[in-house]
Structures are given as C-alpha cells and as structure tokens.
Amino acid sequence: MNDLFILLLKYYVMKKLLLLLISLIIICETTTAQNDCNKWYIDLNYIYLEPLQDFRTGGFQRGHGLSLGGYYELTPNAQKATFHSGFRFNGIIGKNAKDRITLADPAGARAKTKVYNAIIDVQALGRIIFQPQEKFSPYLGVHGGLRVT
C-alpha cells in the first residue's frame, strides 16, 4: 500500500513538472518570436455573462466562456497614433435548463422543454492607439460582427 502511494505521488509530481516544462518552453518560444512577429498582437479573455430581467425569466442562466482576438498593426513605428485591424471570436456556454410543461392543445398533454445557453460571436475590429510609444496609451476601438445564440 505504501509503495502504491509513493508511485502515485511520483506520477503526480512528474505530471506537474512536465506541465511546468512545457509552459516554460512556450514562454521562451513566444519571447524569442516577438522580434519576428512584432506587428501581431493576440489577446485571450475570460467572459462571464449574467442574464438580466427578461432573459432570466426566459430560462437563460449564467454563462462562462473565452474570447480570442488577433490584431495586426498597419502603421508600425508611428509616433502619434497607430492603427490596428483584427478579429475576435467569442464562445460562451451556460447551464442548460430542462422542464416538463402541460400543453394547452391537445389538452393536458405533457411535454419536455430545453433551453440551451450558448453564444457564438465573430467580430471584425479596428483600433486607433494614441501615443503608442508611451506607457499609458488611450485608444479608440470599433467592432462589428455576427452573433448566434
């Protein structure tokens, strides 16, 4: 029994060390690739969605998701303002609601209802970044796209 515990502990530690090693390799590769890809920007965000009022009564629940965006700098090395264009992909999944209801026609018939909470969103983006060489750079962003629920 003691040998089994030690074996499981070694497996757990080795798995964590392998994950750390892979993470360090990815960070190092990203750092060395920045000189070659200095016009590209990538962002990854967590999304939390809380339905309000009518949506909550309609069966929508809290949702969690991810957002992945990519930008390309069209005017590199600009001193006063630079323009970026790009895309963003959002995916949100919430809790599915299931219920049994009684139908009006035919009278007294029973049925099951299901509400699936999922949102897929694709956007085109544009940004004008003012004072891009400073530590604090305000920007103006515009986006438009398609959302499917």
Side-chain angles (χ1 to χ4, degrees), residues 52-105:
L52 301 175
Q53 299 170 358
D54 292 339
F55 287 110
R56 183 175 292 283
T57 59
F60 284 94
Q61 304 290 326
R62 291 182 181 133
H64 304 274
L66 289 175
S67 172
L68 174 66
Y71 302 91
Y72 183 75
E73 185 175 6
L74 297 174
T75 54
N77 302 322
Q79 296 298 319
K80 293 187 178 187
T82 183
F83 180 73
H84 294 189
S85 66
F87 70 93
R88 176 170 289 135
F89 175 77
N90 300 318
I92 303 169
I93 298 174
K95 182 180 175 185
N96 298 331
K98 298 177 184 178
D99 198 6
R100 295 186 62 84
I101 60 171
T102 303
L103 299 175
D105 188 26

Side-chain angles (χ1 to χ4, degrees), residues 3 7 18 23-24 37 44 58 63 65 67 71 73 77 81 88 92 110 112 126 128 130 135 137 139 141 145-147:
D3 293 335
L7 183 65
L18 182 62
S23 300
L24 288 174
C37 302
L44 181 65
S67 172
Y71 302 91
E73 185 175 6
N77 302 322
R88 176 170 289 135
I92 303 169
R110 302 284 292 163
K112 293 180 183 177
I128 298 174
F130 304 101
K135 289 184 179 182
S137 300
Y139 70 91
L146 173 69
R147 175 173 283 175

Side-chain angles (χ1 to χ4, degrees), residues 18-39:
L18 182 62
L19 183 63
L20 177 65
L21 179 65
I22 291 171
S23 300
L24 288 174
I25 290 171
I26 290 171
I27 289 170
C28 290
E29 287 299 317
T30 303
T31 303
T32 58
Q34 285 183 3
N35 289 335
D36 297 329
C37 302
N38 60 356
K39 293 182 183 180

